[in-house]
C-alpha cells in the first residue's frame, strides 16, 4: 500500500489494520510521534492529515487513503508549524517533552484553521494530555503566536 | 551509550566490544544528538591517562574525565548523575558545572551517565533521581567538579602558552593570557586538558556567589528544541539492528501464573507472530512489528493459575475478593494508638483542659503515576556475554544489580542506558513486578535476538505500583480563645518504603506520615502515629510521596479547627507561626500574590460564586504555601486560580522552578479533583485514560507561581509545590458548601446537596 507522508510517497508493508502510529514508528522508523494510550485519549500520537490533527493510534493505515500525512519530523517545513516550534522553544513549553510532539501538531492544526483563536477556541482544540502540567504554557504560547495574549501579560508571575 | 567512551575509568566498568557505525549512530541519536553534528565535533581525550589512573582513588563526583568530554568545537559533553524527565536537571547540572568551569550552559550536551561509582554523588554515596534531591545533595560536589575542570584547562593552557598558571584567567569557553593578549578556546585544549592531573576536590577554589553568571539565572533549558520537535529520545524510542518487538499480557491479578493458552495454535498463526512465551506472571508474543505482537498477545486465552500458599507468602498476592471500597472501610476502622512518629508536650493534658474538641477521619485514594510514556525495555546480549539494556530508570546502579541477577551475569557485564524519561513522578524506581526488564532479558535469551518489550497503557496500569491509601483519625483541642492546644493524628497506612523493604513493627515508615509530621505550627501538645495496615497492591513513591496526601489531611483539619474556634484560617496560621520569620513571610507572600487574603464566598465578575482556601507544607527541605480559588458549576468543582509560592532556600534556575510549580500544582489539582485507582474483585476497574482520567487543559487552573529565596539551606523543587494544593482546594470548596471535604477525589462528592 502507498502512503503519502512528509512530502514523499512510500510503500508500506504493515497489515491494513495496523494503526498509522505503528507504521510511522516501527516500519518507517520515525519515533517523534509518540505512543501514550492507544485509544485516542492522550494525543501523544497526533499527526496532521491534510493539515488537520488526527490521533494516529486509532487510525488504520488503510483508512489514510490519498490523504497527506505530516509528522513532527516535517513540521518545521510548514510555515505555521515552524512558528509554533519557534514559539515553543522561545517560551520553553516542554517539561519532559513526551507529549510535546502531539501538542505541537495540535497547535499547528488549530492555527492553520484559525489564526486568531480565542481562549475558548484554544481550550476546545488543545485536548492532548500533559502529565507534567504544561497547560498554561501551551495556552499562553498559542495566544502569543496569534498575538491575542496582550491581556495575559504578566499573569504567570 | 558510553561503551565507546574510553574515559569511563571505573576499573569495574566494561569498555565493551568494538562497534559498527550504525550502532554508534544509534547511540548518538539516543542522546538526542544528530549523528552528523556529533561526528564532526567528536574530539575525545584519550584512553587510560594520568587523570584516569589518579581517579581510582577519588570520591564520587571528583573524577573529572568520567563526567566531561571536550569537543573541538568548544562543546562540552556532560554525563549527568541525574536523569532528565522534565524537571530540568540537565540544565541545572550544566549551569552548576558551567559556572565554575566557565562554560556557558548552552555549550553543554548533557546525557545521563552510565552506572558507575563515580556518579554516586547524592550525599557522596548513592545515586537516585528522586526525592527532589538532585541539586541540593550534589550542589557543592558538582561545583567542585566544574572548578577542577577549569583548573585542568588552565594547566593545559599554561603548557601550550608556556606561561605560569598564575598569569592565566578564564572567560566563558576560553583561557586568556592577559599579558600577551593570547587566548585558547576550550575546544583547542580538548586534546590535552583531560590528561592533566585531576585536582582534589578539596584543593579547588569556588567562585564567590556574587560573581555568578549563570547560577540563579533563568537560563534556557538545554533540551527544549529537541523536546519541541520529537527529536528527544526516550526508552520507548530506543532501537538497535536486528531488534524484535514483544508485547505482553499480564495476569489480571498479581501473583497469578500463566497456565495453558487454550488457543495457542491460533495465536501462533496470527500475522507476524514469531514466538509465544510464558513469563513470570505474564505471557508474551514476539514479532517483528509491535502491533502484530500486541494484537496476538491480547488474543491469547490464558488459564491463569493461583499460586501455592508457599508462593503467596513470598510475593504480594492480590486476592480475588479485594476491593478498594472495603479496604477504605478497613483503614477507617483501624483502631489503636499506633506507633509514635512525633510527639510534643502531653496530648492527654492538652485535651483535659480543652474548651472545645474536634474529631474527623480523612481518607486518600490509590493513584497512578500515569506518566505519558508507558514502560518499555530494550535488551541485547552481546557475543561476549555482556548485556546492553535501555530502560527508563531513576537509579542506574540499583537496576544494574537486579538486571545482572535476572540475566545471570555479573553487574559489570550489564551496560545500563538510561534515556530521557517521558515523565516519571516516582514511577521508575525498582518495584517488584513493575519494571519490564526481567521480561526483556528472558525474551532476549530465549529468542537469541535483541528484544524490545513495550507495555501498552493497559499493561502499564495493571502493574503500576500505587500511591498508598490512608485513613487518618484526627482529634484536636481548642482553648477558650479558639486556639488549638492539642492535635493528634493516627494514620492507618502502609508507607512505600516499608512496602518495598519490609515492615519493622517497632518503627514508623517516615514516608507514611511525612506531612503529618514536620509541621511548624505552635500547637503545644501533639502526637502523630501510624497503624501499619498491609496492602495487597504494590505501593510506590508518587510525586511528593507521603506529603501528597498527609498535607491534605492535616491542612484541611486545621481549617476545621479554625472554624470550630471561630478563627479565620489564614489568620490562625499566621498566629500559629508567630516568630517564624521564614514561614510568616511565605504566608504573607502567597496572600499578597493572590491580591490579599480573602476567604469569601464572594461573587466574581462572571457571576460565579467563589471562595478561597489556603494551605502550607514543608516538604523535602523546602517550604510551600498555596491559595486556591474555586466555584461550583453544575455540581462540579471549578478551580479557577492557584497561587503557589515556594521557598527552597536558595536556587539555581528560577524559570525551571516556576515550571515545576506549574506542573506540581496541576498534578495536585488532578489528584484532588479526579483521580482514583479503584479495585473490584481483585482487579482494577480502569486500565487506561478513559476510565482513569487525568486533568486535561479544559479543567486546568491558571497557576501563579512565585519563588522566594530566604537564604535557608537549599531544599527540593520538583515535589514541594504539590502538597499545599489539594488542601487549599478542599478548604475553598468547604467555604462554598459549608461541608468539610475529607476525602479525595473531590469529584466523587455530591455537591448538589451542598
Ligand atoms: S496514543 Fe493516540 S491518543 Fe494516546
Ligand atoms: S511535557 Fe511531560 S507530558 Fe507533557
Amino acid at each position: 500500500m502507498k502512503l503519502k507522508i512528509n512530502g514523499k510517497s512510500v510503500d508500506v508493508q504493515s497489515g491494513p489494520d495496523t494503526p498509522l502510529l505503528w507504521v510511522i514508528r516501527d516500519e518507517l522508523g520515525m519515533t517523534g510521534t509518540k505512543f501514550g494510550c492507544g485509544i485516542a485519549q492522550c494525543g501523544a500520537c497526533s499527526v496532521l492529515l491534510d493539515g488537520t490533527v488526527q490521533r494516529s493510534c486509532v487510525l488504520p493505515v488503510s483508512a489514510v487513503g490519498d490523504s497527506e500525512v505530516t509528522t513532527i519530523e516535517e513540521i518545521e517545513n510548514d510555515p505555521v508549524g515552524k512558528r509554533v516550534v519557534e514559539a515553543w522553544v522561545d517560551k520553553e513549553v516542554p517539561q519532559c517533552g513526551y507529549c510535546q510532539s502531539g501538542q505541537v501538531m495540535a497547535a499547528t492544526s488549530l492555527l492553520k484553521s484559525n489564526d486568531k483563536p480565542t481562549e475558548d477556541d484554544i481550550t476546545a482544540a488543545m485536548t492532548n494530555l500533559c502529565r507534567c502540567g504544561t497547560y498554561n504554557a501551551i495556552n499562553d504560547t498559542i495566544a502569543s503566536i496569534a498575538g491575542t495574549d496582550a491581556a495575559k501579560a504578566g499573569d504567570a508571575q | 551509550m558510553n561503551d565507546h567512551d574510553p574515559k569511563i575509568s571505573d576499573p569495574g566498568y566494561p569498555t565493551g566490544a568494538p562497534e559498527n557505525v550504525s550502532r554508534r549512530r544509534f547511540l548518538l541519536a539516543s542522546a538526542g544528538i544528530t549523528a552528523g553534528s556529533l561526528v564532526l565535533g567528536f574530539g575525545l581525550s584519550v584512553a587510560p591517562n594520568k587523570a584516569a589512573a589518579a581517579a581510582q582513588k577519588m570520591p564520587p563526583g571528583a573524577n573529572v574525565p568520567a563526567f566531561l568530554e571536550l569537543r573541538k568545537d568548544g562543546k562540552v559533553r556532560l554525563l549527568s548523575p541525574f536523569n532528565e524527565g522534565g524537571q530540568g536537571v540537565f540544565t541545572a547540572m550544566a549551569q552548576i558545572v558551567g559556572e565554575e568551569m566557565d562554560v556557558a550552559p548552552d555549550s553543554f550536551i548533557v546525557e545521563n551517565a552510565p552506572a558507575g561509582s563515580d556518579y554516586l554523588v547524592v550525599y557522596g554515596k548513592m545515586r537516585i533521581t528522586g526525592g527532589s534531591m538532585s541539586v541540593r545533595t550534589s550542589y557543592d560536589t558538582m561545583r567542585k567538579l566544574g572548578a577542577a575542570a577549569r583548573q585542568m584547562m588552565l594547566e593545559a593552557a599554561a603548557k601550550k602558552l608556556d606561561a605560569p598558571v598564575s598569569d592565566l584567567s578564564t572567560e566563558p569557553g576560553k583561557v586568556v593570557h592577559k599579558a600577551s593578549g593570547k587566548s585558547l578556546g576550550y575546544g583547542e585544549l580538548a586534546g590535552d586538558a583531560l590528561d592533566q592531573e585531576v585536582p582534589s576536590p578539596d584543593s579547588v577554589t569556588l567562585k564567590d556567589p556574587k560573581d555568578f553568571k549563570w547560577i540563579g539565572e533563568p537560563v534556557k533549558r538545554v533540551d527544549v528544541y529537541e523536546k519541541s520537535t520529537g527529536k528527544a529520545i526516550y526508552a520507548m524510542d530506543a532501537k538497535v539492528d536486528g531488534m524484535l518487538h514483544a508485547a505482553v499480557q499480564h495476569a489480571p491479578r498479581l501473583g497469578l501464573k500463566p497456565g495453558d493458552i487454550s488457543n495457542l495454535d491460533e495465536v501462533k498463526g496470527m500475522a507476524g507472530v514469531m514466538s509465544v512465551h510464558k513469563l513470570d506472571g505474564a505471557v508474551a508474543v514476539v514479532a517483528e512489528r509491535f502491533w502484530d505482537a500486541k494484537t496476538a498477545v491480547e488474543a491469547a486465552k490464558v488459564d491463569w493459575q493461583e499460586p501455592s500458599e508457599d508462593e503467596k507468602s513470598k510475593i504480594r498476592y492480590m486476592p480475588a475478593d479485594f476491593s478498594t471500597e472495603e479496604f477504605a472501610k478497613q483503614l477507617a476502622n483501624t483502631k489503636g494508638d499506633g506507633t509514635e512518629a512525633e510527639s510534643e508536650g502531653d496530648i492527654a493534658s492538652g485535651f483535659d483542659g480543652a474548651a472545645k474538641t474536634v474529631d474527623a477521619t480523612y481518607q486518600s485514594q490509590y493513584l497512578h503515576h500515569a506518566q505519558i510514556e508507558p514502560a518499555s525495555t530494550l535488551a541485547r546480549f552481546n557475543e561476549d556475554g555482556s548485556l546492553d539494556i535501555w530502560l527508563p530508570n531513576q537509579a542506574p546502579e540499583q537496576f544494574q544489580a537486579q538486571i545482572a541477577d535476572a540475566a545471570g551475569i555479573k553487574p559489570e557485564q550489564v551496560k545500563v542506558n538510561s534515556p530521557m524519561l517521558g515523565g516519571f513522578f516516582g514511577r521508575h524506581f525498582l518495584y517488584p513486578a513493575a519494571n519490564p526488564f526481567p521480561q526483556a532479558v528472558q525474551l532476549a535469551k530465549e529468542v537469541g535476538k535483541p528484544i524490545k518489550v513495550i507495555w501498552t497503557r493497559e499493561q502499564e496500569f495493571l502493574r503500576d505500583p500505587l500511591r498508598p491509601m490512608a485513613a487518618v483519625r484526627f482529634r484536636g483541642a481548642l482553648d477558650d480563645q479558639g486556639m488549638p492546644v492539642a492535635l493528634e493524628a493516627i494514620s492507618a497506612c502502609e508507607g512505600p518504603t516499608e512496602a518495598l523493604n519490609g515492615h519493622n513493627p517497632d518503627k514508623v515508615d517516615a514516608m507514611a506520615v511525612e506531612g503529618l509530621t514536620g509541621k511548624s505550627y505552635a500547637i503545644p501538645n501533639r502526637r502523630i502515629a501510624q497503624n501499619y495496615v498491609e496492602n495487597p497492591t504494590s505501593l510506590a513513591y508518587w510525586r511528593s510521596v507521603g506529603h501528597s496526601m498527609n498535607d491534605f489531611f492535616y491542612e484541611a483539619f486545621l481549617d476545621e479547627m479554625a472554624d470550630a474556634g471561630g478563627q479565620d484560617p489564614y489568620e490562625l496560621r499566621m498566629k500559629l507561626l508567630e516568630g517564624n520569620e521564614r514561614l510568616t513571610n511565605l504566608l504573607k507572600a502567597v496572600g499578597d500574590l493572590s491580591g490579599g487574603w480573602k476567604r469569601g464566598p464572594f461573587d466574581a465578575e462572571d457571576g460565579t460564586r467563589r471562595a478561597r482556601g489556603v494551605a502550607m507544607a514543608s516538604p523535602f527541605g523546602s517550604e510551600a504555601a498555596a491559595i486556591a480559588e474555586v466555584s461550583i458549576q453544575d455540581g462540579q468543582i471549578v478551580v479557577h486560580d492557584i497561587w503557589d509560592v515556594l521557598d527552597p532556600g536558595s536556587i539555581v534556575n528560577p524559570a525551571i522552578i516556576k515550571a515545576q510549580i506549574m506542573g506540581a500544582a496541576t498534578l495536585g489539582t488532578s489528584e484532588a479533583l479526579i483521580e482514583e485507582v479503584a479495585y473490584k474483585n481483585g482487579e482494577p476497574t480502569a486500565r487506561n485514560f478513559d476510565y482513569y482520567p487525568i486533568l486535561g487543559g479544559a479543567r486546568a487552573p491558571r497557576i501563579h507561581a512565585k519563588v522566594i529565596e530566604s537564604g535557608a539551606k537549599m531544599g527540593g523543587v520538583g515535589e514541594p509545590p504539590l502538597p499545599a494544593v489539594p488542601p487549599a482546594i478542599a478548604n475553598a470548596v468547604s467555604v462554598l458548601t459549608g461541608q468539610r471535604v475529607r476525602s479525595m477525589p473531590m469529584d466523587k462528592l455530591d455537591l448538589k446537596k451542598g
Side-chain angles (χ1 to χ4, degrees):
Chain A
M1 163 182 12
K2 290 260 184 232
L3 192 66
K4 285 196 222 160
I5 184 161
N6 295 341
K8 291 186 211 79
S9 175
V10 296
D11 253 323
V12 168
Q13 309 300 325
S14 296
D17 295 341
T18 307
L20 178 61
L21 170 66
W22 295 107
V23 174
I24 291 169
R25 289 184 58 87
D26 272 11
E27 188 173 344
L28 303 178
M30 293 186 285
T31 55
T33 308
K34 302 301 185 198
F35 167 61
C37 69
I39 58 163
Q41 290 285 317
C42 74
C45 63
S46 299
V47 299
L48 300 184
L49 220 63
D50 293 332
T52 302
V53 70
Q54 295 282 338
R55 293 185 172 176
S56 66
C57 68
V58 291
L59 184 71
V61 62
S62 56
V64 174
D66 256 0
S67 295
E68 190 64 64
V69 181
T70 307
T71 70
I72 187 75
E73 282 80 6
E74 188 66 11
I75 202 66
E76 287 173 279
N77 292 328
D78 178 285
V80 177
K82 189 168 163 34
R83 282 171 59 211
V84 171
V85 167
E86 281 167 4
W88 241 244
V89 171
D90 183 51
K91 304 270 184 201
E92 299 188 83
V93 175
Q95 290 194 25
C96 84
Y98 195 79
C99 75
Q100 297 296 338
S101 299
Q103 306 284 7
V104 165
M105 301 312 278
T108 303
S109 173
L110 167 64
L111 289 164
K112 275 169 163 304
S113 66
N114 178 357
D115 63 353
K116 287 272 175 288
T118 63
E119 217 177 309
D120 286 348
D121 293 338
I122 295 173
T123 305
M126 299 302 292
T127 56
N128 289 4
L129 299 175
C130 173
R131 192 57 160 170
C132 298
T134 62
Y135 299 123
N136 284 184
I138 286 169
N139 287 21
D140 294 352
T141 302
I142 294 174
S144 83
I145 299 168
T148 54
D149 59 339
K152 288 258 181 63
D155 210 7
Q157 330 236 346
Chain B
M1 61 197 79
N2 303 289
D3 48 346
H4 57 280
D5 183 340
K7 299 182 315 313
I8 306 305
S9 59
D10 180 337
Y13 199 76
T15 49
E19 285 157 351
N20 63 31
V21 171
S22 77
R23 173 159 153 69
R24 165 172 281 200
R25 192 158 284 157
F26 159 67
L27 292 165
L28 304 179
S30 77
I33 306 156
T34 59
S37 70
L38 191 124
V39 168
L40 287 176
F42 217 67
L44 293 170
S45 87
V46 284
N49 56 25
K50 246 194 305 176
Q56 292 186 16
K57 294 185 285 292
M58 294 196 135
N63 180 15
V64 173
F67 286 85
L68 295 172
E69 171 194 313
L70 300 171
R71 306 247 168 106
K72 291 209 157 54
D73 61 358
K75 292 261 185 211
V76 180
R77 175 172 174 250
L78 167 65
L79 294 182
S80 165
F82 305 104
N83 204 359
E84 172 67 33
Q87 80 283 42
V89 74
F90 277 5
T91 307
M93 288 294 127
Q95 280 177 268
I96 297 165
V97 175
E99 184 69 66
E100 297 291 347
M101 191 179 170
D102 217 348
V103 174
D106 63 6
S107 295
F108 281 90
I109 295 160
V110 190
E111 292 165 38
N112 198 5
S117 56
D118 282 321
Y119 308 109
L120 307 178
V121 299
V122 173
Y123 303 120
K125 58 176 189 238
M126 67 153 187
R127 178 183 182 194
I128 61 165
T129 303
S132 297
M133 293 207 289
S134 303
V135 170
R136 63 185 166 121
T137 63
S138 72
Y139 182 65
D140 291 339
T141 304
M142 299 309 284
R143 281 181 69 192
K144 286 178 184 169
L145 178 85
R150 178 175 172 274
Q151 188 63 36
M152 292 161 81
M153 294 293 166
L154 290 169
E155 300 280 355
K159 285 179 193 146
K160 274 206 166 170
L161 294 171
D162 200 14
V165 167
S166 55
D167 285 359
L168 302 177
S169 59
T170 59
E171 287 173 16
K174 60 183 173 191
V175 178
V176 181
H177 184 235
K178 281 243 165 65
S180 67
K182 281 191 198 146
S183 70
L184 280 171
Y186 284 1
E188 295 170 77
L189 297 165
D192 308 320
L194 295 180
D195 281 339
Q196 307 303 312
E197 194 158 333
V198 180
S200 124
D202 303 330
S203 70
V204 298
T205 320
L206 296 178
K207 267 184 164 174
D208 186 330
K210 76 172 167 27
D211 298 326
F212 280 169
K213 291 192 191 82
W214 298 295
I215 290 178
E217 294 300 312
V219 164
K220 260 222 172 346
R221 287 184 187 239
V222 294
D223 44 24
V224 66
Y225 172 74
E226 285 77 11
K227 286 174 173 175
S228 300
T229 49
K231 292 181 173 65
I233 301 290
Y234 305 85
M236 181 67 75
D237 307 322
K239 51 186 164 188
V240 293
D241 289 347
M243 161 183 108
L244 300 174
H245 282 97
V248 298
Q249 180 189 146
H250 284 135
R253 288 185 284 118
L254 200 56
L256 299 192
K257 306 184 302 180
D260 287 342
I261 300 171
S262 62
N263 61 341
L264 183 60
D265 289 340
E266 185 194 326
V267 173
K268 281 184 171 165
M270 289 177 73
V273 172
M274 301 174 80
S275 52
V276 181
H277 305 253
K278 283 188 196 173
L279 308 173
D280 188 10
V283 295
V285 168
V286 172
E288 192 179 337
R289 306 251 158 85
F290 177 71
W291 183 254
D292 291 338
K294 172 193 179 285
T295 307
V297 84
E298 285 176 357
K301 297 196 176 96
V302 186
D303 178 21
W304 295 105
Q305 308 268 311
E306 288 289 327
S308 68
E309 290 307 315
D310 184 47
E311 285 167 327
K312 275 185 201 172
S313 68
K314 291 183 191 133
I315 49 165
R316 234 159 229 246
Y317 163 73
M318 171 59 71
D321 60 356
F322 178 73
S323 88
T324 40
E325 205 180 319
E326 288 305 314
F327 190 59
K329 284 184 204 152
Q330 184 195 334
L331 290 172
N333 294 325
T334 300
K335 304 274 186 292
D337 290 341
T339 309
E340 202 157 277
E342 188 181 279
S343 145
E344 179 85 38
D346 175 31
I347 197 80
S349 68
F351 278 89
D352 281 348
K356 204 170 194 181
T357 60
V358 192
D359 294 278
T361 298
Y362 278 73
Q363 300 213 248
S364 65
Q365 74 280 45
Y366 285 139
L367 296 173
H368 276 310
H369 294 92
Q371 78 292 348
I372 306 291
E373 181 195 14
S376 66
T377 297
L378 165 58
R380 179 183 67 185
F381 283 97
N382 302 311
E383 272 173 25
D384 62 0
S386 66
L387 173 68
D388 290 340
I389 196 156
W390 289 259
L391 76 174
N393 75 83
Q394 297 178 239
E397 290 74 16
Q398 294 171 26
F399 274 74
Q400 184 185 42
Q402 287 216 1
I403 292 164
D405 247 16
I409 55 179
K410 297 197 195 86
E412 57 268 28
Q413 290 176 285
V414 178
K415 200 173 319 138
V416 178
N417 299 279
S418 311
M420 208 172 261
L421 302 166
F424 56 117
F425 321 113
R427 171 67 181 85
H428 296 304
F429 288 113
L430 277 172
Y431 300 112
N435 312 105
F437 70 78
Q439 302 173 346
V441 166
Q442 184 180 339
L443 291 169
K445 265 193 174 173
E446 288 179 6
V447 175
K449 293 213 164 130
I451 295 282
K452 181 162 166 202
V453 175
I454 296 174
W455 284 3
T456 58
R457 177 60 55 186
E458 289 79 7
Q459 302 306 321
E460 163 77 17
F461 272 4
L462 204 44
R463 287 294 174 270
D464 179 29
L466 309 171
R467 197 285 302 271
M469 285 171 76
V472 178
R473 276 186 286 125
F474 283 100
R475 56 184 189 126
L478 302 159
D479 67 14
D480 53 8
Q481 307 295 305
M483 286 302 286
V485 288
L487 185 151
E488 184 176 52
I490 304 172
S491 175
C493 177
E494 180 177 23
T497 302
E498 61 194 350
L500 286 169
N501 299 344
H503 169 62
N504 176 345
D506 302 327
K507 274 181 100 176
V508 168
D509 181 347
M511 293 195 186
V513 291
E514 59 184 6
L516 299 171
T517 57
K519 288 287 185 181
S520 296
Y521 301 119
I523 300 174
N525 305 293
R526 300 192 305 268
R527 183 176 181 275
I528 311 297
Q530 180 198 9
N531 278 312
Y532 172 79
V533 181
E534 193 181 357
N535 288 247
T537 49
S538 303
L539 300 179
Y541 306 100
W542 188 93
R543 196 174 190 170
S544 78
V545 195
H547 288 281
S548 68
M549 55 188 181
N550 288 324
D551 287 291
F552 162 75
F553 303 142
Y554 191 108
E555 293 285 317
F557 184 70
L558 190 61
D559 263 39
E560 289 203 45
M561 291 181 75
D563 283 341
Q567 309 227 32
D568 175 86
Y570 182 89
E571 296 307 332
L572 175 67
R573 284 177 174 78
M574 213 46 118
K575 279 187 215 159
L576 291 172
L577 294 170
E578 205 181 297
N580 184 332
E581 200 188 336
R582 186 178 183 193
L583 291 190
T584 49
N585 280 345
L586 175 67
L587 188 55
K588 189 169 179 314
V590 75
D592 291 348
L593 187 66
S594 67
W597 166 249
K598 59 171 176 178
R599 194 183 193 195
F602 55 88
D603 292 315
E605 274 176 29
D606 65 358
T608 53
R609 188 106 179 117
R610 299 189 184 187
R612 291 183 183 179
V614 63
M616 303 182 80
S618 307
F620 303 93
S622 289
E623 298 291 344
I627 290 175
E629 178 172 317
V630 309
S631 68
I632 296 173
Q633 291 166 35
D634 304 322
Q636 194 176 59
I637 297 166
V638 178
V639 182
H640 298 274
D641 292 88
I642 291 173
W643 295 270
D644 196 351
V645 183
L646 181 71
D647 172 8
S650 59
I651 65 167
V652 171
N653 189 320
I656 288 176
I657 297 175
K658 277 184 189 170
Q660 286 296 287
I661 295 174
M662 313 267 283
T666 305
L667 188 57
T669 305
S670 190
E671 169 196 13
L673 297 184
I674 300 174
E675 295 182 39
E676 175 175 36
V677 176
Y679 271 74
K680 263 188 198 148
N681 302 324
E683 296 185 23
T685 58
R687 301 264 180 99
N688 207 322
F689 292 121
D690 47 356
Y691 293 107
Y692 186 91
I694 63 173
L695 195 80
R699 283 186 85 186
R702 166 76 29 195
I703 291 147
H704 314 265
K706 185 180 166 80
V707 182
I708 292 183
E709 283 186 83
S710 60
K713 185 162 181 267
M714 191 183 278
V717 303
E719 302 173 90
L722 189 150
V725 169
I729 295 171
N731 289 337
V733 170
S734 293
V735 177
L736 284 178
T737 63
Q739 305 273 318
R740 297 312 315 182
V741 175
R742 296 192 180 121
S743 63
M744 300 184 284
M746 298 176 207
D747 275 0
K748 280 175 83 181
L749 304 171
D750 188 350
L751 296 168
K752 287 220 176 83
K753 280 195 208 131

